[in-house]
Amino acid sequence: MCGIVGAIASRNVVPILTEGLKRLEYRGYDSAGIAVLDGGIRRVRRVGRVAEMESAARAENLTGIVGIAHTRWATHGGVTEPNAHPHVSSGEIAVVHNGIIENHEEQRARLRALGYAFDSQTDTEVIAHLVHHYFKATGDLFVATQKAAADLRGAYAIGVVALKDPETITGARMGCPLVVGLGEGENFLASDVSAIISETRRVMYLEDGDVVAVRRGGVEVVDAARNPVHRAERVSELSANAVDLGPYRHYMQKEIHEQPRAVADTIEAVIDGGIDVEGLFGAGAAAAFRDIDAVLILASGTSYYAGLVARFWLESIAKVPCNVELGHEYRYRDSIANPRQLVVTISQSGETLDTMEALKRAKELGHANTLSICNVLESAIPRASRFVFYTRAGMEIGVASTKAFTTQLVTLFTLTLALAKSRGLLDAKAETAAVEQLRFVPGSIQHALNLEPQIQAWADRFAEREHALFLGRGIHYPVALEGALKLKEISYIHAEAYAAGELKHGPLALVDSSMPVVVIAPNDSLLEKVKSNMQEVRARGGELYVFADLDSHFSESEGVHVIRTPRHVGLLSPIVHTIPVQLLAYHTALKRGTDVDKPRNLAKSVTVE
């Protein structure tokens, strides 16, 4: 959450910083600000979107060759201009910050005793004053930033400039992403590669505990022990086109329609080479997978629902017990360690704080076999895991996850096959058949996308409602959960999801003619049970919207609306049935006029707990 970009060059960096913020706005959009060194610290902050700050900066003719900028998702303090970043101390130090400083109250009291006054309600202002305090004593911004970072507890990424050290931008990272961009005679700092991709593809990923000094002529890094350290230069695979909308109205729409390609790219190695366990998951995976006797999946939000689907696959195909837990709950409870358990963490960004902390907790308990499923190369969670499988969804900007979810699902199915093969439960014939199933998934997703005009018609009716119920059974219950989440995230319609058999245990009391009920009803072993649950809804006057498939024998009637996805694709059906619920949420939000890509109160990368 929140976005940072900084630049030091021999040209005006304000356009670079502004464009970078626009590319990071999906990470936070309560307010935005920019500070440059230009005879003093010149700062512009505005509540609202980056465009409002950009207009103000243009009106004030803001220019400078060194600067930092920030787009905010509020944690400490309301959405006000005084709480917007950058924060300035004594007119000499400017700071931008992502994350949460857990000991900010303790540091605030200390700094007040030293004579500092506070103009905001944020934890970030503490950092600005700390850096200023140490800069007065040392005259060295790099050293001052190191000393300030040592006083902080929590998760943070920070960027700092000093009026009296105009040749340096400093940064520090602990638990939140921070990357250095390398140019020719100019360098950059950002919380996400996308912010600087139009300027350079040469990047350096910082590690937890690192403090960096970014200058025109080079970069200096020290690690958590304050020893000089070299971080490898890498070339980002992200292209500037990845963050362009192209012909689409919103990033969410673009990303929904990119799913056939994203899924095909993710399973490319499987289609070409079969279930090569070591090749797919890393050296030592085959032996480790043979030895495991249980799987624990840790995730949050949409990734958690992907884990719920995977539990069905893992237990039915790989015959291994599976538990799925929310990372932020797991880390705080007493759990029974099992050294033979495979701990799987799922995160689109690879920086999700509660998932990262849950992984740390699992490792503290002695779990050595850890696997990360992630979409971002070199992010924190994969680096902390023994095994890694990178989804190849490409950059996802819309806050409501779409292609990240479907690529996670095909990855989890691949993991299931790998475990089954390692445990001697998948012979060559079964492996070939499973890979063939995967081969046809991108095409089935495209067929589901072709249902968009019918789903738009449903969205016209949903847009007028304030509540909705989603039902599914078995492996499709998590799809109902995901559908309800998508609808509430971007349309602000209150939506709940239940296993359909739970209807008569309470939720049926909510059903009336004003409550649309969405049913995920493919032709699987639970179809007849689902039909019985649907009759319970109709008997109470509820209106049904049914996502079936060509093999299900449904017919439309009064109060029963049916859209058929492609022919039932067996165990991979949840992937295909995810597409219609994504489209329903998108078009309903469109009809209601909400901000589809940047829903209120939410941000893309959750790097705070």
Side-chain angles (χ1 to χ4, degrees):
M1 294 176 172
C2 305
I4 288 172
V5 59
I8 181 167
S10 299
R11 54 180 170 139
N12 180 22
V13 298
V14 172
I16 299 170
L17 299 177
T18 302
E19 182 60 28
L21 287 190
K22 289 178 180 177
R23 293 178 184 271
L24 291 178
E25 196 168 20
Y26 69 101
R27 296 177 71 102
Y29 36 86
D30 293 336
S31 59
I34 186 171
V36 296
L37 303 182
D38 184 20
I41 293 179
R42 296 186 62 197
R43 175 176 58 164
V44 172
R45 299 180 294 174
R46 289 293 184 272
V47 169
R49 299 300 170 81
V50 172
E52 296 172 49
M53 185 220 72
E54 181 182 24
S55 297
R58 189 180 299 115
E60 295 187 22
N61 194 29
L62 193 71
T63 61
I65 58 175
V66 181
I68 52 176
H70 189 266
T71 180
R72 180 177 186 241
W73 187 84
T75 55
H76 292 74
V79 182
T80 65
E81 191 169 305
N83 289 333
H85 302 213
H87 289 282
V88 173
S89 178
S90 305
E92 296 183 347
I93 300 290
V95 169
V96 290
H97 162 230
N98 293 350
I100 287 180
I101 305 304
E102 294 175 356
N103 63 334
H104 71 98
E105 291 182 353
E106 170 191 327
Q107 294 296 335
R108 186 182 295 261
R110 171 192 170 198
L111 289 161
R112 279 188 171 135
L114 290 170
Y116 288 95
F118 287 80
D119 299 321
S120 76
Q121 302 166 307
T122 68
D123 53 344
T124 302
E125 196 174 1
V126 162
I127 305 172
H129 292 324
L130 278 174
V131 175
H132 183 265
H133 169 66
Y134 287 119
F135 186 74
K136 283 194 304 180
T138 65
D140 186 316
L141 183 60
F142 191 29
V143 173
T145 305
Q146 294 173 46
K147 289 181 174 291
D151 289 343
L152 303 176
R153 291 201 314 270
Y156 55 81
I158 63 176
V160 188
V161 293
L163 182 61
K164 295 181 180 179
D165 191 354
E167 300 301 315
T168 306
I169 299 175
T170 58
R173 176 212 161 119
M174 179 62 71
C176 295
L178 197 62
V179 61
V180 175
L182 304 171
E184 298 296 331
E186 57 186 24
N187 288 305
F188 311 91
L189 189 71
S191 54
D192 191 299
V193 174
S194 64
I196 53 176
I197 198 65
S198 60
E199 305 301 326
T200 183
R201 293 179 60 202
R202 295 166 52 217
V203 296
M204 177 188 296
Y205 294 96
L206 299 180
E207 302 277 354
D208 271 356
D210 283 357
V211 180
V212 62
V214 180
R215 304 182 179 97
R216 288 180 187 84
V219 174
E220 186 178 355
V221 183
V222 295
D223 63 16
R226 302 303 170 239
N227 296 316
V229 65
H230 173 73
R231 298 300 180 208
E233 178 183 329
R234 303 180 185 277
V235 177
S236 173
E237 296 181 0
L238 184 68
S239 69
N241 291 336
V243 293
D244 292 336
L245 269 174
Y248 298 101
R249 293 181 62 179
H250 299 93
Y251 284 109
M252 183 178 180
Q253 183 188 27
K254 175 177 183 275
E255 288 153 12
I256 289 172
H257 283 269
E258 285 175 341
Q259 287 177 110
R261 179 76 265 163
V263 166
D265 287 346
T266 298
I267 61 175
E268 180 180 19
V270 181
I271 300 304
D272 291 345
I275 307 301
D276 175 3
V277 179
E278 302 266 319
L280 293 171
F281 296 95
F289 287 6
R290 278 195 301 272
D291 189 52
I292 70 107
D293 64 5
V295 174
L296 170 63
I297 296 176
L298 301 171
S300 298
T302 287
S303 296
Y304 173 73
Y305 298 152
L308 293 179
V309 174
R311 180 171 62 187
F312 286 90
W313 290 333
L314 287 162
E315 295 194 346
S316 65
I317 298 173
K319 305 301 181 186
V320 59
C322 178
N323 192 24
V324 186
E325 293 202 44
L326 294 163
H328 45 78
E329 295 297 316
Y330 170 81
R331 64 177 291 207
Y332 290 116
R333 73 174 184 84
D334 291 330
S335 56
I336 308 301
N338 174 5
R340 294 184 62 193
Q341 190 173 51
L342 177 67
V343 177
V344 180
T345 50
I346 311 173
S347 168
Q348 187 278 140
S349 67
E351 305 285 351
T352 308
L353 184 63
D354 39 24
T355 305
M356 182 70 215
E357 292 301 319
L359 173 59
K360 289 179 182 178
R361 173 64 176 157
K363 292 170 73 174
E364 288 170 1
L365 292 172
H367 292 102
N369 291 321
T370 58
L371 166 67
S372 167
I373 294 173
C374 179
N375 192 45
V376 180
L377 295 173
E378 298 298 324
S379 49
I381 294 174
R383 289 201 306 268
S385 302
R386 181 180 177 188
F387 306 115
V388 179
F389 192 116
Y390 286 110
T391 58
R392 296 174 64 188
M395 188 172 183
E396 188 178 69
I397 292 176
V399 167
S401 182
T402 52
K403 60 180 180 175
F405 179 66
T406 47
T407 54
Q408 286 169 359
L409 287 176
V410 292
T411 299
L412 287 161
F413 188 75
T414 301
L415 171 63
T416 300
L417 299 179
L419 285 169
K421 184 174 182 177
S422 299
R423 293 159 59 83
L425 299 173
L426 190 75
D427 61 23
K429 183 178 179 181
E431 178 181 343
T432 300
V435 170
E436 278 301 296
Q437 278 187 290
L438 277 172
R439 186 190 303 275
F440 288 106
V441 169
S444 295
I445 291 174
Q446 185 58 58
H447 286 308
L449 287 168
N450 295 340
L451 300 171
E452 191 165 11
Q454 300 173 56
I455 295 169
Q456 280 181 270
W458 281 13
D460 290 341
R461 303 170 194 169
F462 272 73
E464 300 171 353
R465 308 297 177 89
E466 295 301 326
H467 305 277
L469 193 62
F470 284 70
L471 303 177
R473 294 201 73 153
I475 200 169
H476 293 93
Y477 168 47
V479 178
L481 288 165
E482 175 65 5
L485 176 63
K486 287 291 160 283
L487 192 66
K488 70 181 80 171
E489 277 182 310
I490 62 171
S491 75
Y492 315 147
I493 293 173
H494 172 239
E496 296 291 342
Y498 286 91
E502 279 291 290
L503 262 180
K504 49 188 161 294
H505 296 285
L508 200 57
L510 296 172
V511 172
D512 60 21
S513 59
S514 66
M515 168 83 82
V517 178
V518 179
V519 185
I520 314 300
N523 185 25
D524 61 12
S525 61
L526 291 172
L527 179 60
E528 293 307 315
K529 298 292 186 183
V530 172
K531 288 181 177 179
S532 297
N533 300 139
M534 290 168 54
Q535 290 302 317
E536 294 169 355
V537 172
R538 284 301 299 138
R540 276 77 180 178
E543 192 162 9
L544 290 161
Y545 293 82
V546 184
F547 288 117
D549 54 38
L550 293 180
D551 299 330
S552 300
H553 300 291
F554 282 104
S555 57
E556 291 211 2
S557 59
E558 184 179 355
V560 180
H561 313 280
V562 180
I563 290 178
R564 290 179 173 81
T565 60
R567 185 176 61 83
H568 185 55
V569 292
L571 285 171
L572 296 174
S573 175
I575 301 169
V576 178
H577 274 83
T578 295
I579 310 305
V581 298
Q582 292 174 350
L583 289 169
L584 179 62
Y586 172 74
H587 285 288
T588 301
L590 208 60
K591 294 290 183 183
R592 288 170 69 94
T594 61
D595 192 331
V596 173
D597 287 333
K598 303 179 183 70
R600 66 189 183 200
N601 304 332
L602 302 176
K604 183 65 180 174
S605 181
V606 183
T607 53
V608 297
E609 185 177 7

